[in-house]
């Protein structure tokens, strides 16, 4: 049963407010003494010209109390205490019936959301910063899907720009073919760095590179073939990382994809008299909005990053007719997106208000003991490898007999890293500390995964359950708190998608795991005389297991059956 809905209807019978307005006002109180749901009467007070306390008092008397243990008024609040047995029955039966799809809704039915995430640069290493956008975007993608939206996951690859002219020049001079095949990104990075060193001494290299990019832009066959090779080789490496992470995309349309779609944008801006010349470049002035001008064409007529983003936004609107278009990109690019969205607005595209930049912080390390191959850049590959190795060490110590140790270590290690990225609100920087991240205690990925495995082990020992389930028996504080947290899943998904903040779900799954452990530490499940109580508690364990699994799934983290 949807209690918020039920309560809204009960209140609706006595007041003059729309049902969905009432529903939005209903809160989940922070303390159990304040009930399971609360309705604040402030808004009614304005309409009814009575004090909120008085309204709460009157409503308490007149509302139908069926299905509730009691209804109380506390100051301006009306507090609802649900009937625990009914609540447990409704919740657990729904979780068990829905299974893997528990938490799904149709909030987003008929609406399409574009989520752009990851978007690494071709021929550049995939470093620890890229996991931030990848993990947040992947999780938002899954959450929107869960809410019934039609979601398009886009990897806006950085596969275009003058750097490709430089790479072509560097390739023709210094490439080591064997190294390129073996470790493509390392080799491409090496020759790219070399290009910059050499161009310091011989600036004519820059002219050649510019020419090479021009060739690429105009579809020269040789240049295009090389570009394609760099792209394919890099993608192959990226895909290995995506595989480990279990991340997928619906579209790999990167910057190059818009090469032939920019003229339209430039012409449109020209027609609308938005383009002006500034130091030889074509720009849209934004000083009225306290922003530097948005450069659309450089002095030599070449497009830039922003031009491609303008074209991409228009393309996405035209192709997907989105309800929302989300860009998961680091906070340092906030100004860039503000400029792009403003230019779209000035060009009369009112849908620019549906474009949202989702920023995030930096990744730092408490102990810089991570091995690095490329100077100061920490590769994600290395980070994940280290996480897996360290987890394997822990398993070898704690549970050396475990089957599929490698597989388990991979899921826990990678899960621990993803969990760390999604644990705090995304604008905050992450400080990496192995000890903390991989700990089985505290608010970590392994702690949640361990709770799952623990629940699983209880179930595997539960044989010959013959008692009849009776939800009234789940009356203890720990049981009821756990049931309540299981019932809260949909709410939390909604909050997380509204705020575009996966950490809300990370916090939630920690809460469920904690509530589960509290319950299990306080109450027996298997060692019970009362067969009916045993059967009932087992169904509570089963549903906890299911909710932890579903929530982790939305974060992009796999569960393990044993650990
Ligand atoms: N490739 C860029 C980078 O690594 C990020 C692209 C962000 N997305 C966009 N639509 N501009 O910095």
């Amino acid at each position: 049963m949807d209690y918020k809905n039920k309560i809204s209807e009960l209140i609706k019978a006595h007041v003059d407010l729309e049902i969905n307005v009432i529903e939005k006002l209903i809160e989940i109180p922070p303390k159990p003494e304040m009930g399971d749901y609360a309705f604040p009467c402030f808004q009614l007070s304005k309409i009814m010209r009575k004090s909120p306390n008085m309204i709460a008092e009157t409503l308490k008397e007149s509302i139908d109390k069926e299905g509730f243990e009691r209804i109380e008024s506390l100051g301006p609040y009306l507090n609802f205490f649900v009937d625990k047995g009914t609540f447990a029955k409704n919740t657990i039966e729904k979780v068990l019936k829905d299974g893997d799809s528990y938490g799904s809704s149709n909030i987003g039915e008929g609406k399409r959301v574009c989520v752009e995430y990851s978007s690494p640069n071709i021929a550049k290493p995939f470093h620890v910063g890229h996991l931030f956008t990848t993990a947040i975007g992947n999780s938002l993608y899954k959450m929107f899907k869960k809410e019934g939206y039609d979601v398009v996951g886009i990897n806006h690859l950085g596969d275009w720009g003058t750097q490709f002219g430089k790479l072509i020049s560097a390739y023709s001079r210094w490439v080591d073919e064997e190294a390129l095949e073996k470790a493509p990104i390392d080799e491409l990075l090496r020759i790219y760095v070399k290009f910059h060193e050499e161009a310091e001494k011989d600036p004519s290299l820059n002219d050649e590179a510019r020419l090479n990019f021009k060739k690429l832009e105009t579809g020269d066959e040789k240049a295009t073939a090389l570009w394609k090779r760099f792209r394919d080789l890099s993608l192959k490496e990226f895909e290995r990382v995506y595989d480990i992470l279990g991340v997928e995309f619906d579209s790999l349309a990167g910057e190059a994809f818009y090469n032939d779609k920019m003229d339209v944008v430039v012409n449109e801006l020209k027609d609308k008299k938005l383009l002006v010349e500034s130091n030889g470049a074509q720009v849209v002035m934004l000083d009225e909005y306290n922003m530097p001008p948005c450069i659309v064409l450089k002095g030599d007529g070449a497009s830039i990053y922003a031009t491609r983003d303008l074209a991409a936004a228009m393309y996405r609107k035209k192709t997907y007719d989105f309800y929302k278009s989300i860009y998961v990109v680091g906070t340092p690019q906030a100004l860039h997106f503000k400029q792009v969205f403003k230019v779209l607005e000035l060009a009369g595209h009112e849908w620019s208000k549906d474009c949202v930049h989702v920023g995030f912080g930096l990744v730092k390390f408490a102990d810089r003991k991570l091995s690095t191959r490329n100077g100061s850049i920490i590769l994600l590959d290395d980070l994940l490898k280290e996480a897996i190795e360290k987890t394997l060490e822990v398993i070898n110590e704690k549970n050396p007999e475990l089957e599929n140790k490698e597989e388990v270590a991979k899921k826990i290690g990678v899960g621990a890293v993803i969990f760390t990225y999604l644990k705090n609100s995304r604008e905050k920087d992450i400080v990496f500390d192995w000890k903390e991240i991989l700990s089985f205690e505290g608010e970590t990925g392994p702690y949640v995964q361990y709770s799952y495995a623990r629940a699983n082990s209880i179930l595997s020992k539960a044989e010959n359950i013959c008692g009849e389930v009776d939800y009234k028996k789940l009356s203890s504080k720990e049981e009821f708190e756990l049931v309540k947290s299981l019932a809260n899943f949909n709410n939390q998904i909604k909050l997380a998608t509204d705020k575009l903040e996966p950490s809300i779900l990370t916090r939630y799954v920690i809460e469920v795991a904690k509530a589960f452990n509290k319950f299990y530490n306080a109450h027996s499940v298997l060692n019970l005389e009362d067969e009916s109580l045993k059967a009932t508690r087992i169904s509570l364990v089963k549903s906890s297991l299911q909710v932890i699994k579903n929530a982790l799934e939305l974060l992009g983290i796999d569960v393990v059956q044993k650990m």
Side-chain angles (χ1 to χ4, degrees), residues 116 119-121 130 156 158 255 305 309 327 329 333 336-337:
E116 187 212 283
S119 312
N121 295 326
H130 289 120
H156 187 78
E255 294 186 45
Y305 186 55
D309 260 324
Y327 297 77
V329 183
Q333 292 195 37
H336 162 77
F337 284 107

Side-chain angles (χ1 to χ4, degrees), residues 152-165:
V152 189
I154 304 170
N155 190 345
H156 187 78
L157 292 171
D159 56 2
W160 207 243
T162 45
Q163 70 271 27
F164 287 91

Side-chain angles (χ1 to χ4, degrees), residues 472-483:
K472 280 201 291 299
K473 297 195 166 169
L474 298 178
S475 57
S476 74
K477 184 165 160 271
E478 293 82 13
E479 287 161 320
F480 187 56
E481 285 302 303
L482 176 55
V483 170

Side-chain angles (χ1 to χ4, degrees), residues 179-233:
L180 185 65
E181 282 301 324
K182 239 168 79 197
I185 293 181
D186 283 353
E187 178 61 5
L188 290 171
L189 191 66
R190 183 190 70 82
I191 62 173
Y192 187 67
V193 170
K194 179 146 179 87
F195 177 91
H196 283 270
E197 285 163 10
E198 297 293 326
E200 289 263 306
K201 292 177 243 164
D202 175 8
S204 76
L205 275 174
N206 283 320
D207 299 327
E208 183 194 298
R210 216 165 294 139
L211 208 71
N212 277 334
F213 183 56
K214 196 95 232 156
K215 278 188 187 165
L216 196 56
E217 275 189 306
T218 48
D220 174 86
E221 222 171 277
K222 252 173 88 186
T224 307
L226 270 181
W227 166 83
K228 192 169 176 310
R229 180 139 179 254
F230 301 154
R231 189 179 188 272
D232 289 349
L233 285 169

